[in-house]
């Protein structure tokens, strides 16, 4: 009689164990996914870094794919992290990129050198010659006084009062000397492409 009952008992035990195993496995997968999400959030969360007595808030750029123009970027850091309007935006803590223009508790918006019409005073080369950076899809140098000789490859750096003086922007590209009788213009060679950007540093007060 015992032998006659064994197969059903074994069958139900196997079914029970199988169901329990699947439930435990599903629970472990769910817990693992939640843990990975938490780790990712912590890893990508804004965090403060200090370099040469300057404080930088490292932040991520929200994707707006496929509509990215990069003229304005939205960052995952806001007033809760101490961000305020007009703070400078840098790449790798050393390359001028933009300026905060809108702040909410959990995010902020910055205009960049790809924002059409934005103008920033700059200096060019070792002689610190004055020029005006006109932002846009292809940022350019304008208002270069003829006779102030600049060369392709000269360094361009910020000189506006709202930004750290001398912050690197790019290099002089092709020079157009035929803009009227007084001024010249030039292309700007950047060390990055807009599409490659994913994170920035906000220079904190």
């Amino acid at each position: 009689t015992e032998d006659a009952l064994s197969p059903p008992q074994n069958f139900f035990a196997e079914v029970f164990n199988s169901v329990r195993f699947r439930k435990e496995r599903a629970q472990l997968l769910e817990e693992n996914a939640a843990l990975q999400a938490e780790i990712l959030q912590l890893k990508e969360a804004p965090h403060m870094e200090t370099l040469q007595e300057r404080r930088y808030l490292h932040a991520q750029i929200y994707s707006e794919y496929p509509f990215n123009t990069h003229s304005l970027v939205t960052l995952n850091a806001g007033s809760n992290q101490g961000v305020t309007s007009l703070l400078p935006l840098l790449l790798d803590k050393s390359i001028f990129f933009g300026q905060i223009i809108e702040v909410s508790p959990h995010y902020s918006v910055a205009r960049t050198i790809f924002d059409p019409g934005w103008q920033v005073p700059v200096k060019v080369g070792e002689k610190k010659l004055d020029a005006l950076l006109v932002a846009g899809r292809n940022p350019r140098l304008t208002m270069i006084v003829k006779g102030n000789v600049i060369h392709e490859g000269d360094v361009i750096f910020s000189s506006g009062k709202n930004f750290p003086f001398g912050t690197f922007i790019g290099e002089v590209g092709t020079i157009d000397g035929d803009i009227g009788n007084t001024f010249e213009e030039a292309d700007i060679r950047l060390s990055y492409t807009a599409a490659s950007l994913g994170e920035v540093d906000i220079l904190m007060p």
Side-chain angles (χ1 to χ4, degrees), residues 42-165:
L42 290 173
K43 181 181 177 183
E44 304 300 339
H47 60 275
M48 200 72 71
E49 299 176 352
T50 302
L51 179 65
Q52 297 177 347
E53 299 184 355
R54 283 183 172 175
R55 297 189 314 136
Y56 302 88
L57 183 63
H58 193 74
Q60 302 294 321
I61 298 175
Y62 281 114
S63 173
E64 295 181 5
Y65 179 85
F67 305 108
N68 285 346
T69 63
H70 302 288
S71 59
L72 299 177
V73 293
T74 304
L75 312 175
N76 70 334
S79 58
N80 285 352
Q81 288 76 36
V83 179
T84 58
S85 186
L86 303 183
L87 292 180
L89 206 63
L90 306 175
L91 303 177
D92 296 325
K93 302 178 182 62
S94 59
I95 303 173
F96 177 83
F97 181 57
Q99 183 181 43
I100 302 292
I101 59 171
E102 179 185 333
V103 181
S104 293
H106 301 289
Y107 72 89
S108 55
V109 178
R111 59 184 173 188
T112 76
I113 64 170
F114 302 110
D115 185 18
W118 186 33
Q119 299 181 348
V120 180
V122 299
K123 298 283 187 180
V124 182
E126 293 183 1
K127 294 183 178 180
K128 301 179 183 177
L129 301 175
D130 289 313
L132 188 67
L133 183 155
V134 176
R137 182 181 293 273
N138 297 300
R140 287 180 61 80
L141 288 182
T142 64
M143 302 288 289
I144 305 165
V145 176
K146 285 188 176 179
N148 288 345
V149 180
I150 65 171
H151 302 91
E152 190 169 335
D154 280 351
V155 171
I156 305 163
F157 54 92
S158 64
S159 63
K161 64 180 180 180
N162 293 322
F163 312 109
F165 188 93

